[in-house]
């Protein structure tokens, strides 16, 4: 969370809103791969609303949503927004 100043990266990137993150979302769910639980490249800080939105998208567009989340992480690590 501190790497992202406690800001919800999904809301910022997709909706242009600044919201406080309340949790971290595991891009690859831990039930699919336990080894990804603590990997920073698999974690993204989000608000409760964004977390719910992401999980809803996983039901219909999981791979595309995961790719978008990975791009958000990559952009942040490269010094972007």
């Amino acid at each position: 969370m501190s790497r992202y100043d406690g800001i919800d990266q999904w809301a910022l990137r997709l909706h242009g809103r600044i919201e406080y993150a309340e949790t971290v979302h595991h891009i690859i769910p831990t039930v699919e791969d336990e080894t990804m639980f603590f990997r920073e490249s698999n974690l993204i800080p989000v608000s409760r609303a964004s977390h719910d939105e992401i999980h809803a998208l996983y039901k219909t567009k999981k791979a595309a949503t995961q790719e978008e989340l990975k791009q958000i992480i990559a952009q942040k690590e490269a010094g972007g927004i």
Side-chain angles (χ1 to χ4, degrees):
M1 295 280 261
S2 63
R3 291 182 73 194
Y4 298 89
D5 299 320
I7 302 297
D8 175 338
Q9 297 300 299
W10 179 264
L12 181 63
R13 173 85 181 266
L14 267 62
H15 303 297
R17 294 188 313 253
I18 296 176
E19 296 180 16
Y20 287 108
E22 301 164 332
T23 190
V24 292
H25 173 73
H26 292 86
I27 298 169
I28 298 172
T30 56
V31 296
E32 293 177 16
D33 187 349
E34 292 178 352
T35 66
M36 299 297 286
F37 190 83
F38 291 113
R39 293 226 180 127
E40 290 181 14
S41 63
N42 191 49
L43 302 171
I44 186 167
V46 294
S47 65
R48 174 54 46 201
S50 290
H51 202 230
D52 292 344
E53 180 181 342
I54 292 165
H55 277 282
L57 287 168
Y58 271 27
K59 292 179 184 177
T60 58
K61 299 188 291 185
K62 184 175 183 177
T65 304
Q66 286 175 316
E67 187 56 37
E68 183 70 33
L69 290 162
K70 289 175 186 178
Q71 288 177 12
I72 292 169
I73 297 293
Q75 180 183 23
K76 180 67 174 174
E77 290 186 5
I81 296 174

